[in-house]
Structure formats: structure tokens, C-alpha cells
Amino acid sequence: MKKAIFPGSFDPITLGHYDIIERGVKLFDELIIAIGINADKKYMFSLEQRKKFIEDCFKNEPKIKVVTYKGLTVDFCQKNNVDFILRGLRNPADFEFEKAIAHTNRDLAPIETVFLLTAASTSYISSSIVRDVIRNHGDYTKLVPKTVRIK
């Protein structure tokens, strides 16, 4: 069974994340969307909100599991028998950053990183851009899945 993890903070999940997940789930028997917990980071959405946004998004996809975790991603992978890390790439800067992390992860554990290029239509979207649009009362709904709505 090929299991992969798609780690991130997902604050919030964007259409770019959604695109990578939709395509990634076709490559693996199980895809774990893992929300990392970082006590030093200030999030716009609570952990529970972020998890619910994602669970609601993929409630009809049995191959997707949503979890939270602390610590190193490779430690999570080893504890859960996960052999692959799925990552999305929007641009060359993403590639350089993700390449360094992938090399480090492979030094720490026998984990392979699989990169997917984001769709051209979502390559400009990032969670930080979405948060900025929300803070400034812009129309964020075209940047995120329908499950991400602020009440």
C-alpha cells in the first residue's frame, strides 16, 4: 500500500492545495493531509477550523485522512508507515526551498518526496495572500474551496 502525507499549516486550505490533493490522491492508496502544529506560529484560523475546512472538503473521498501532528514530518512518517511526502510547487522559489527540505528529510529517514506542479490557474494563490485578502475584507471565496467560509 502506497501511503503519502501532504503536510502543511493550511491556514487556510487554498484552491492550490485542493488541486494538489485532488491529483495526488490518484497516485497513492492513502493520502494523509497532516496539519502541522507549531506553537511559535500565529494562525488566523484555529486548528479545529482548519481541520474541519479540509475534512468537509474531502468528506466523500475515502482515500483521504486528515490528522494533526507535532514535530518532524519524517518522524510522523516513520510512526505511521508513510513512505512518501507530497508537495506542491508554484514557482522556482518554492522548488529551491522544498528541495532543501526534501534532501534533509531523506538524510533523516528513507522518505521520498514527490513534487507536483500546481495548475497554472492556481499558481499565484498562497495561504498568506488569502489571509491578507480576508484581513482587508476582499473577496477571498475565489481563492479557497467552498468549505472555507468566515461567518
Side-chain angles (χ1 to χ4, degrees), residues 1-37:
M1 183 163 154
K2 288 188 293 183
K3 287 169 64 172
I5 179 178
F6 184 50
S9 58
F10 304 103
D11 187 33
I13 185 173
T14 69
L15 289 177
H17 294 129
Y18 186 88
D19 169 60
I20 296 298
I21 294 164
E22 282 274 286
R23 292 177 13 221
V25 78
K26 295 172 187 164
L27 301 174
F28 301 100
D29 300 308
E30 181 178 19
L31 181 57
I32 301 167
I33 303 170
I35 306 167
I37 300 169

PDB file of all heavy atoms in Angstrom, residues 1-37:
ATOM      1  N   MET A   1       0.839  -1.184   0.000  1.00  0.00           N
ATOM      2  CA  MET A   1       0.000   0.000   0.000  1.00  0.00           C
ATOM      3  C   MET A   1       0.881   1.243   0.000  1.00  0.00           C
ATOM      4  O   MET A   1       1.741   1.394   0.857  1.00  0.00           O
ATOM      5  CB  MET A   1      -0.893  -0.019   1.235  1.00  0.00           C
ATOM      6  CG  MET A   1      -1.846   1.124   1.288  1.00  0.00           C
ATOM      7  SD  MET A   1      -3.160   0.758   2.467  1.00  0.00           S
ATOM      8  CE  MET A   1      -3.630   2.384   2.930  1.00  0.00           C
ATOM      9  N   LYS A   2       0.666   2.112  -0.961  1.00  0.00           N
ATOM     10  CA  LYS A   2       1.433   3.355  -1.059  1.00  0.00           C
ATOM     11  C   LYS A   2       0.709   4.458  -0.287  1.00  0.00           C
ATOM     12  O   LYS A   2      -0.382   4.866  -0.668  1.00  0.00           O
ATOM     13  CB  LYS A   2       1.623   3.765  -2.510  1.00  0.00           C
ATOM     14  CG  LYS A   2       2.591   2.897  -3.272  1.00  0.00           C
ATOM     15  CD  LYS A   2       2.885   3.454  -4.648  1.00  0.00           C
ATOM     16  CE  LYS A   2       1.649   3.378  -5.503  1.00  0.00           C
ATOM     17  NZ  LYS A   2       1.793   3.806  -6.860  1.00  0.00           N
ATOM     18  N   LYS A   3       1.356   4.908   0.800  1.00  0.00           N
ATOM     19  CA  LYS A   3       0.788   5.974   1.619  1.00  0.00           C
ATOM     20  C   LYS A   3       1.655   7.212   1.488  1.00  0.00           C
ATOM     21  O   LYS A   3       2.876   7.127   1.498  1.00  0.00           O
ATOM     22  CB  LYS A   3       0.751   5.554   3.095  1.00  0.00           C
ATOM     23  CG  LYS A   3      -0.313   4.532   3.404  1.00  0.00           C
ATOM     24  CD  LYS A   3      -0.190   3.926   4.778  1.00  0.00           C
ATOM     25  CE  LYS A   3      -0.361   4.880   5.912  1.00  0.00           C
ATOM     26  NZ  LYS A   3      -0.413   4.178   7.234  1.00  0.00           N
ATOM     27  N   ALA A   4       0.978   8.361   1.382  1.00  0.00           N
ATOM     28  CA  ALA A   4       1.688   9.636   1.318  1.00  0.00           C
ATOM     29  C   ALA A   4       1.091  10.602   2.313  1.00  0.00           C
ATOM     30  O   ALA A   4      -0.083  10.485   2.701  1.00  0.00           O
ATOM     31  CB  ALA A   4       1.609  10.224  -0.092  1.00  0.00           C
ATOM     32  N   ILE A   5       1.922  11.544   2.710  1.00  0.00           N
ATOM     33  CA  ILE A   5       1.481  12.620   3.580  1.00  0.00           C
ATOM     34  C   ILE A   5       1.595  13.921   2.789  1.00  0.00           C
ATOM     35  O   ILE A   5       2.541  14.118   2.025  1.00  0.00           O
ATOM     36  CB  ILE A   5       2.345  12.670   4.864  1.00  0.00           C
ATOM     37  CG1 ILE A   5       1.912  13.808   5.788  1.00  0.00           C
ATOM     38  CG2 ILE A   5       3.808  12.795   4.539  1.00  0.00           C
ATOM     39  CD1 ILE A   5       2.696  13.866   7.100  1.00  0.00           C
ATOM     40  N   PHE A   6       0.607  14.777   2.949  1.00  0.00           N
ATOM     41  CA  PHE A   6       0.659  16.130   2.388  1.00  0.00           C
ATOM     42  C   PHE A   6       0.634  17.059   3.595  1.00  0.00           C
ATOM     43  O   PHE A   6      -0.424  17.358   4.147  1.00  0.00           O
ATOM     44  CB  PHE A   6      -0.526  16.373   1.449  1.00  0.00           C
ATOM     45  CG  PHE A   6      -0.495  17.711   0.753  1.00  0.00           C
ATOM     46  CD1 PHE A   6       0.636  18.152   0.087  1.00  0.00           C
ATOM     47  CD2 PHE A   6      -1.613  18.525   0.750  1.00  0.00           C
ATOM     48  CE1 PHE A   6       0.657  19.384  -0.568  1.00  0.00           C
ATOM     49  CE2 PHE A   6      -1.615  19.752   0.099  1.00  0.00           C
ATOM     50  CZ  PHE A   6      -0.480  20.190  -0.563  1.00  0.00           C
ATOM     51  N   PRO A   7       1.826  17.474   4.063  1.00  0.00           N
ATOM     52  CA  PRO A   7       1.892  18.279   5.277  1.00  0.00           C
ATOM     53  C   PRO A   7       1.775  19.775   4.993  1.00  0.00           C
ATOM     54  O   PRO A   7       2.119  20.246   3.908  1.00  0.00           O
ATOM     55  CB  PRO A   7       3.283  17.947   5.819  1.00  0.00           C
ATOM     56  CG  PRO A   7       4.102  17.710   4.584  1.00  0.00           C
ATOM     57  CD  PRO A   7       3.147  17.098   3.583  1.00  0.00           C
ATOM     58  N   GLY A   8       1.288  20.510   5.981  1.00  0.00           N
ATOM     59  CA  GLY A   8       1.213  21.958   5.868  1.00  0.00           C
ATOM     60  C   GLY A   8       0.471  22.544   7.044  1.00  0.00           C
ATOM     61  O   GLY A   8      -0.044  21.824   7.899  1.00  0.00           O
ATOM     62  N   SER A   9       0.414  23.874   7.067  1.00  0.00           N
ATOM     63  CA  SER A   9      -0.355  24.526   8.129  1.00  0.00           C
ATOM     64  C   SER A   9      -1.798  24.779   7.673  1.00  0.00           C
ATOM     65  O   SER A   9      -2.698  24.880   8.483  1.00  0.00           O
ATOM     66  CB  SER A   9       0.319  25.834   8.566  1.00  0.00           C
ATOM     67  OG  SER A   9       0.457  26.699   7.463  1.00  0.00           O
ATOM     68  N   PHE A  10      -1.990  24.901   6.362  1.00  0.00           N
ATOM     69  CA  PHE A  10      -3.335  25.048   5.785  1.00  0.00           C
ATOM     70  C   PHE A  10      -4.138  26.145   6.498  1.00  0.00           C
ATOM     71  O   PHE A  10      -5.249  25.914   6.961  1.00  0.00           O
ATOM     72  CB  PHE A  10      -4.088  23.708   5.806  1.00  0.00           C
ATOM     73  CG  PHE A  10      -3.352  22.608   5.112  1.00  0.00           C
ATOM     74  CD1 PHE A  10      -2.678  21.638   5.846  1.00  0.00           C
ATOM     75  CD2 PHE A  10      -3.304  22.541   3.732  1.00  0.00           C
ATOM     76  CE1 PHE A  10      -1.968  20.619   5.218  1.00  0.00           C
ATOM     77  CE2 PHE A  10      -2.599  21.531   3.091  1.00  0.00           C
ATOM     78  CZ  PHE A  10      -1.930  20.570   3.832  1.00  0.00           C
ATOM     79  N   ASP A  11      -3.556  27.329   6.541  1.00  0.00           N
ATOM     80  CA  ASP A  11      -4.169  28.452   7.257  1.00  0.00           C
ATOM     81  C   ASP A  11      -4.565  29.577   6.302  1.00  0.00           C
ATOM     82  O   ASP A  11      -3.939  30.638   6.313  1.00  0.00           O
ATOM     83  CB  ASP A  11      -3.188  28.962   8.317  1.00  0.00           C
ATOM     84  CG  ASP A  11      -3.793  30.018   9.231  1.00  0.00           C
ATOM     85  OD1 ASP A  11      -5.007  29.940   9.504  1.00  0.00           O
ATOM     86  OD2 ASP A  11      -3.049  30.911   9.670  1.00  0.00           O
ATOM     87  N   PRO A  12      -5.617  29.366   5.508  1.00  0.00           N
ATOM     88  CA  PRO A  12      -6.463  28.188   5.340  1.00  0.00           C
ATOM     89  C   PRO A  12      -6.027  27.362   4.128  1.00  0.00           C
ATOM     90  O   PRO A  12      -5.122  27.750   3.396  1.00  0.00           O
ATOM     91  CB  PRO A  12      -7.829  28.817   5.059  1.00  0.00           C
ATOM     92  CG  PRO A  12      -7.494  30.017   4.227  1.00  0.00           C
ATOM     93  CD  PRO A  12      -6.189  30.530   4.810  1.00  0.00           C
ATOM     94  N   ILE A  13      -6.732  26.247   3.905  1.00  0.00           N
ATOM     95  CA  ILE A  13      -6.536  25.476   2.682  1.00  0.00           C
ATOM     96  C   ILE A  13      -6.948  26.367   1.508  1.00  0.00           C
ATOM     97  O   ILE A  13      -7.925  27.116   1.602  1.00  0.00           O
ATOM     98  CB  ILE A  13      -7.341  24.153   2.697  1.00  0.00           C
ATOM     99  CG1 ILE A  13      -7.026  23.315   1.457  1.00  0.00           C
ATOM    100  CG2 ILE A  13      -8.827  24.387   2.895  1.00  0.00           C
ATOM    101  CD1 ILE A  13      -7.627  21.917   1.459  1.00  0.00           C
ATOM    102  N   THR A  14      -6.187  26.303   0.422  1.00  0.00           N
ATOM    103  CA  THR A  14      -6.473  27.125  -0.753  1.00  0.00           C
ATOM    104  C   THR A  14      -6.853  26.221  -1.939  1.00  0.00           C
ATOM    105  O   THR A  14      -6.723  24.992  -1.862  1.00  0.00           O
ATOM    106  CB  THR A  14      -5.238  27.943  -1.169  1.00  0.00           C
ATOM    107  OG1 THR A  14      -4.238  27.047  -1.672  1.00  0.00           O
ATOM    108  CG2 THR A  14      -4.696  28.762  -0.011  1.00  0.00           C
ATOM    109  N   LEU A  15      -7.250  26.845  -3.022  1.00  0.00           N
ATOM    110  CA  LEU A  15      -7.534  26.070  -4.235  1.00  0.00           C
ATOM    111  C   LEU A  15      -6.255  25.440  -4.783  1.00  0.00           C
ATOM    112  O   LEU A  15      -6.308  24.407  -5.444  1.00  0.00           O
ATOM    113  CB  LEU A  15      -8.202  26.941  -5.294  1.00  0.00           C
ATOM    114  CG  LEU A  15      -9.647  27.343  -4.981  1.00  0.00           C
ATOM    115  CD1 LEU A  15     -10.197  28.264  -6.068  1.00  0.00           C
ATOM    116  CD2 LEU A  15     -10.542  26.124  -4.806  1.00  0.00           C
ATOM    117  N   GLY A  16      -5.107  26.025  -4.494  1.00  0.00           N
ATOM    118  CA  GLY A  16      -3.835  25.416  -4.883  1.00  0.00           C
ATOM    119  C   GLY A  16      -3.608  24.114  -4.140  1.00  0.00           C
ATOM    120  O   GLY A  16      -3.232  23.097  -4.737  1.00  0.00           O
ATOM    121  N   HIS A  17      -3.835  24.122  -2.812  1.00  0.00           N
ATOM    122  CA  HIS A  17      -3.737  22.886  -2.024  1.00  0.00           C
ATOM    123  C   HIS A  17      -4.734  21.853  -2.563  1.00  0.00           C
ATOM    124  O   HIS A  17      -4.402  20.679  -2.729  1.00  0.00           O
ATOM    125  CB  HIS A  17      -4.091  23.138  -0.551  1.00  0.00           C
ATOM    126  CG  HIS A  17      -3.155  24.020   0.186  1.00  0.00           C
ATOM    127  ND1 HIS A  17      -3.596  25.106   0.908  1.00  0.00           N
ATOM    128  CD2 HIS A  17      -1.810  23.980   0.345  1.00  0.00           C
ATOM    129  CE1 HIS A  17      -2.561  25.691   1.481  1.00  0.00           C
ATOM    130  NE2 HIS A  17      -1.461  25.028   1.150  1.00  0.00           N
ATOM    131  N   TYR A  18      -5.947  22.313  -2.783  1.00  0.00           N
ATOM    132  CA  TYR A  18      -7.023  21.431  -3.255  1.00  0.00           C
ATOM    133  C   TYR A  18      -6.606  20.730  -4.547  1.00  0.00           C
ATOM    134  O   TYR A  18      -6.789  19.516  -4.701  1.00  0.00           O
ATOM    135  CB  TYR A  18      -8.306  22.246  -3.449  1.00  0.00           C
ATOM    136  CG  TYR A  18      -9.508  21.411  -3.798  1.00  0.00           C
ATOM    137  CD1 TYR A  18     -10.311  20.868  -2.805  1.00  0.00           C
ATOM    138  CD2 TYR A  18      -9.848  21.159  -5.125  1.00  0.00           C
ATOM    139  CE1 TYR A  18     -11.422  20.090  -3.122  1.00  0.00           C
ATOM    140  CE2 TYR A  18     -10.946  20.389  -5.448  1.00  0.00           C
ATOM    141  CZ  TYR A  18     -11.729  19.858  -4.448  1.00  0.00           C
ATOM    142  OH  TYR A  18     -12.815  19.080  -4.766  1.00  0.00           O
ATOM    143  N   ASP A  19      -6.028  21.487  -5.471  1.00  0.00           N
ATOM    144  CA  ASP A  19      -5.577  20.947  -6.747  1.00  0.00           C
ATOM    145  C   ASP A  19      -4.533  19.844  -6.535  1.00  0.00           C
ATOM    146  O   ASP A  19      -4.634  18.767  -7.133  1.00  0.00           O
ATOM    147  CB  ASP A  19      -4.995  22.080  -7.600  1.00  0.00           C
ATOM    148  CG  ASP A  19      -4.262  21.575  -8.828  1.00  0.00           C
ATOM    149  OD1 ASP A  19      -4.902  20.902  -9.663  1.00  0.00           O
ATOM    150  OD2 ASP A  19      -3.053  21.850  -8.954  1.00  0.00           O
ATOM    151  N   ILE A  20      -3.558  20.087  -5.688  1.00  0.00           N
ATOM    152  CA  ILE A  20      -2.508  19.098  -5.426  1.00  0.00           C
ATOM    153  C   ILE A  20      -3.112  17.843  -4.777  1.00  0.00           C
ATOM    154  O   ILE A  20      -2.773  16.715  -5.137  1.00  0.00           O
ATOM    155  CB  ILE A  20      -1.390  19.684  -4.538  1.00  0.00           C
ATOM    156  CG1 ILE A  20      -0.667  20.832  -5.270  1.00  0.00           C
ATOM    157  CG2 ILE A  20      -0.397  18.603  -4.095  1.00  0.00           C
ATOM    158  CD1 ILE A  20       0.042  20.445  -6.544  1.00  0.00           C
ATOM    159  N   ILE A  21      -4.019  18.027  -3.842  1.00  0.00           N
ATOM    160  CA  ILE A  21      -4.655  16.891  -3.162  1.00  0.00           C
ATOM    161  C   ILE A  21      -5.482  16.068  -4.147  1.00  0.00           C
ATOM    162  O   ILE A  21      -5.381  14.834  -4.175  1.00  0.00           O
ATOM    163  CB  ILE A  21      -5.513  17.373  -1.968  1.00  0.00           C
ATOM    164  CG1 ILE A  21      -4.616  17.991  -0.896  1.00  0.00           C
ATOM    165  CG2 ILE A  21      -6.354  16.228  -1.403  1.00  0.00           C
ATOM    166  CD1 ILE A  21      -5.347  18.830   0.142  1.00  0.00           C
ATOM    167  N   GLU A  22      -6.278  16.730  -4.959  1.00  0.00           N
ATOM    168  CA  GLU A  22      -7.125  16.037  -5.944  1.00  0.00           C
ATOM    169  C   GLU A  22      -6.285  15.202  -6.902  1.00  0.00           C
ATOM    170  O   GLU A  22      -6.659  14.084  -7.253  1.00  0.00           O
ATOM    171  CB  GLU A  22      -7.930  17.057  -6.764  1.00  0.00           C
ATOM    172  CG  GLU A  22      -9.118  17.615  -6.037  1.00  0.00           C
ATOM    173  CD  GLU A  22     -10.316  16.719  -6.204  1.00  0.00           C
ATOM    174  OE1 GLU A  22     -10.918  16.689  -7.285  1.00  0.00           O
ATOM    175  OE2 GLU A  22     -10.652  16.027  -5.215  1.00  0.00           O
ATOM    176  N   ARG A  23      -5.162  15.731  -7.330  1.00  0.00           N
ATOM    177  CA  ARG A  23      -4.301  14.998  -8.251  1.00  0.00           C
ATOM    178  C   ARG A  23      -3.462  13.961  -7.516  1.00  0.00           C
ATOM    179  O   ARG A  23      -3.215  12.877  -8.026  1.00  0.00           O
ATOM    180  CB  ARG A  23      -3.443  15.979  -9.037  1.00  0.00           C
ATOM    181  CG  ARG A  23      -4.337  16.803  -9.986  1.00  0.00           C
ATOM    182  CD  ARG A  23      -3.644  17.866 -10.792  1.00  0.00           C
ATOM    183  NE  ARG A  23      -2.225  17.752 -10.774  1.00  0.00           N
ATOM    184  CZ  ARG A  23      -1.380  18.792 -10.662  1.00  0.00           C
ATOM    185  NH1 ARG A  23      -1.818  20.001 -10.577  1.00  0.00           N
ATOM    186  NH2 ARG A  23      -0.093  18.619 -10.650  1.00  0.00           N
ATOM    187  N   GLY A  24      -3.027  14.296  -6.302  1.00  0.00           N
ATOM    188  CA  GLY A  24      -2.195  13.381  -5.518  1.00  0.00           C
ATOM    189  C   GLY A  24      -2.933  12.137  -5.073  1.00  0.00           C
ATOM    190  O   GLY A  24      -2.345  11.061  -4.991  1.00  0.00           O
ATOM    191  N   VAL A  25      -4.207  12.256  -4.799  1.00  0.00           N
ATOM    192  CA  VAL A  25      -4.976  11.102  -4.313  1.00  0.00           C
ATOM    193  C   VAL A  25      -5.051  10.003  -5.380  1.00  0.00           C
ATOM    194  O   VAL A  25      -5.228   8.833  -5.057  1.00  0.00           O
ATOM    195  CB  VAL A  25      -6.373  11.540  -3.811  1.00  0.00           C
ATOM    196  CG1 VAL A  25      -7.331  11.796  -4.955  1.00  0.00           C
ATOM    197  CG2 VAL A  25      -6.953  10.529  -2.854  1.00  0.00           C
ATOM    198  N   LYS A  26      -4.862  10.377  -6.636  1.00  0.00           N
ATOM    199  CA  LYS A  26      -4.867   9.385  -7.722  1.00  0.00           C
ATOM    200  C   LYS A  26      -3.560   8.593  -7.765  1.00  0.00           C
ATOM    201  O   LYS A  26      -3.507   7.535  -8.378  1.00  0.00           O
ATOM    202  CB  LYS A  26      -5.089  10.087  -9.057  1.00  0.00           C
ATOM    203  CG  LYS A  26      -6.445  10.745  -9.171  1.00  0.00           C
ATOM    204  CD  LYS A  26      -6.538  11.580 -10.427  1.00  0.00           C
ATOM    205  CE  LYS A  26      -7.849  12.366 -10.428  1.00  0.00           C
ATOM    206  NZ  LYS A  26      -7.835  13.445 -11.402  1.00  0.00           N
ATOM    207  N   LEU A  27      -2.528   9.100  -7.120  1.00  0.00           N
ATOM    208  CA  LEU A  27      -1.211   8.460  -7.169  1.00  0.00           C
ATOM    209  C   LEU A  27      -0.959   7.492  -6.014  1.00  0.00           C
ATOM    210  O   LEU A  27      -0.059   6.663  -6.099  1.00  0.00           O
ATOM    211  CB  LEU A  27      -0.107   9.532  -7.139  1.00  0.00           C
ATOM    212  CG  LEU A  27      -0.128  10.567  -8.253  1.00  0.00           C
ATOM    213  CD1 LEU A  27       0.938  11.623  -7.992  1.00  0.00           C
ATOM    214  CD2 LEU A  27       0.077   9.899  -9.601  1.00  0.00           C
ATOM    215  N   PHE A  28      -1.741   7.618  -4.943  1.00  0.00           N
ATOM    216  CA  PHE A  28      -1.482   6.858  -3.728  1.00  0.00           C
ATOM    217  C   PHE A  28      -2.736   6.112  -3.279  1.00  0.00           C
ATOM    218  O   PHE A  28      -3.853   6.520  -3.580  1.00  0.00           O
ATOM    219  CB  PHE A  28      -0.989   7.790  -2.616  1.00  0.00           C
ATOM    220  CG  PHE A  28       0.269   8.519  -2.987  1.00  0.00           C
ATOM    221  CD1 PHE A  28       0.230   9.825  -3.433  1.00  0.00           C
ATOM    222  CD2 PHE A  28       1.505   7.880  -2.913  1.00  0.00           C
ATOM    223  CE1 PHE A  28       1.390  10.494  -3.802  1.00  0.00           C
ATOM    224  CE2 PHE A  28       2.672   8.537  -3.270  1.00  0.00           C
ATOM    225  CZ  PHE A  28       2.620   9.846  -3.721  1.00  0.00           C
ATOM    226  N   ASP A  29      -2.506   5.044  -2.507  1.00  0.00           N
ATOM    227  CA  ASP A  29      -3.624   4.286  -1.944  1.00  0.00           C
ATOM    228  C   ASP A  29      -4.273   5.043  -0.789  1.00  0.00           C
ATOM    229  O   ASP A  29      -5.462   4.900  -0.536  1.00  0.00           O
ATOM    230  CB  ASP A  29      -3.142   2.921  -1.450  1.00  0.00           C
ATOM    231  CG  ASP A  29      -2.550   2.099  -2.586  1.00  0.00           C
ATOM    232  OD1 ASP A  29      -3.229   1.960  -3.621  1.00  0.00           O
ATOM    233  OD2 ASP A  29      -1.406   1.615  -2.445  1.00  0.00           O
ATOM    234  N   GLU A  30      -3.452   5.803  -0.076  1.00  0.00           N
ATOM    235  CA  GLU A  30      -3.956   6.629   1.025  1.00  0.00           C
ATOM    236  C   GLU A  30      -3.172   7.933   1.034  1.00  0.00           C
ATOM    237  O   GLU A  30      -1.950   7.929   0.861  1.00  0.00           O
ATOM    238  CB  GLU A  30      -3.789   5.924   2.371  1.00  0.00           C
ATOM    239  CG  GLU A  30      -4.329   6.733   3.533  1.00  0.00           C
ATOM    240  CD  GLU A  30      -4.201   6.010   4.876  1.00  0.00           C
ATOM    241  OE1 GLU A  30      -3.404   5.076   4.998  1.00  0.00           O
ATOM    242  OE2 GLU A  30      -4.916   6.421   5.808  1.00  0.00           O
ATOM    243  N   LEU A  31      -3.876   9.040   1.210  1.00  0.00           N
ATOM    244  CA  LEU A  31      -3.239  10.347   1.308  1.00  0.00           C
ATOM    245  C   LEU A  31      -3.643  10.970   2.637  1.00  0.00           C
ATOM    246  O   LEU A  31      -4.831  11.177   2.896  1.00  0.00           O
ATOM    247  CB  LEU A  31      -3.650  11.254   0.144  1.00  0.00           C
ATOM    248  CG  LEU A  31      -3.029  12.640   0.106  1.00  0.00           C
ATOM    249  CD1 LEU A  31      -1.498  12.564   0.080  1.00  0.00           C
ATOM    250  CD2 LEU A  31      -3.529  13.420  -1.102  1.00  0.00           C
ATOM    251  N   ILE A  32      -2.643  11.210   3.466  1.00  0.00           N
ATOM    252  CA  ILE A  32      -2.876  11.806   4.775  1.00  0.00           C
ATOM    253  C   ILE A  32      -2.583  13.295   4.682  1.00  0.00           C
ATOM    254  O   ILE A  32      -1.454  13.685   4.386  1.00  0.00           O
ATOM    255  CB  ILE A  32      -1.971  11.163   5.850  1.00  0.00           C
ATOM    256  CG1 ILE A  32      -2.227   9.661   5.934  1.00  0.00           C
ATOM    257  CG2 ILE A  32      -2.172  11.841   7.197  1.00  0.00           C
ATOM    258  CD1 ILE A  32      -1.176   8.906   6.737  1.00  0.00           C
ATOM    259  N   ILE A  33      -3.596  14.094   4.888  1.00  0.00           N
ATOM    260  CA  ILE A  33      -3.391  15.540   4.953  1.00  0.00           C
ATOM    261  C   ILE A  33      -3.072  15.837   6.412  1.00  0.00           C
ATOM    262  O   ILE A  33      -3.910  15.630   7.298  1.00  0.00           O
ATOM    263  CB  ILE A  33      -4.631  16.311   4.472  1.00  0.00           C
ATOM    264  CG1 ILE A  33      -4.981  15.893   3.051  1.00  0.00           C
ATOM    265  CG2 ILE A  33      -4.382  17.811   4.565  1.00  0.00           C
ATOM    266  CD1 ILE A  33      -6.307  16.400   2.553  1.00  0.00           C
ATOM    267  N   ALA A  34      -1.837  16.249   6.646  1.00  0.00           N
ATOM    268  CA  ALA A  34      -1.336  16.401   8.010  1.00  0.00           C
ATOM    269  C   ALA A  34      -1.107  17.871   8.331  1.00  0.00           C
ATOM    270  O   ALA A  34      -0.264  18.523   7.716  1.00  0.00           O
ATOM    271  CB  ALA A  34      -0.045  15.607   8.186  1.00  0.00           C
ATOM    272  N   ILE A  35      -1.872  18.363   9.284  1.00  0.00           N
ATOM    273  CA  ILE A  35      -1.766  19.756   9.699  1.00  0.00           C
ATOM    274  C   ILE A  35      -0.729  19.829  10.809  1.00  0.00           C
ATOM    275  O   ILE A  35      -0.924  19.289  11.900  1.00  0.00           O
ATOM    276  CB  ILE A  35      -3.122  20.290  10.197  1.00  0.00           C
ATOM    277  CG1 ILE A  35      -4.201  20.077   9.136  1.00  0.00           C
ATOM    278  CG2 ILE A  35      -2.997  21.762  10.576  1.00  0.00           C
ATOM    279  CD1 ILE A  35      -5.619  20.284   9.647  1.00  0.00           C
ATOM    280  N   GLY A  36       0.370  20.494  10.502  1.00  0.00           N
ATOM    281  CA  GLY A  36       1.442  20.634  11.481  1.00  0.00           C
ATOM    282  C   GLY A  36       1.085  21.657  12.553  1.00  0.00           C
ATOM    283  O   GLY A  36       0.462  22.679  12.269  1.00  0.00           O
ATOM    284  N   ILE A  37       1.480  21.355  13.781  1.00  0.00           N
ATOM    285  CA  ILE A  37       1.229  22.252  14.904  1.00  0.00           C
ATOM    286  C   ILE A  37       2.546  22.916  15.280  1.00  0.00           C
ATOM    287  O   ILE A  37       3.515  22.235  15.612  1.00  0.00           O
ATOM    288  CB  ILE A  37       0.657  21.490  16.114  1.00  0.00           C
ATOM    289  CG1 ILE A  37      -0.661  20.818  15.729  1.00  0.00           C
ATOM    290  CG2 ILE A  37       0.472  22.421  17.305  1.00  0.00           C
ATOM    291  CD1 ILE A  37      -1.169  19.823  16.756  1.00  0.00           C
TER     292      ILE A  37
END
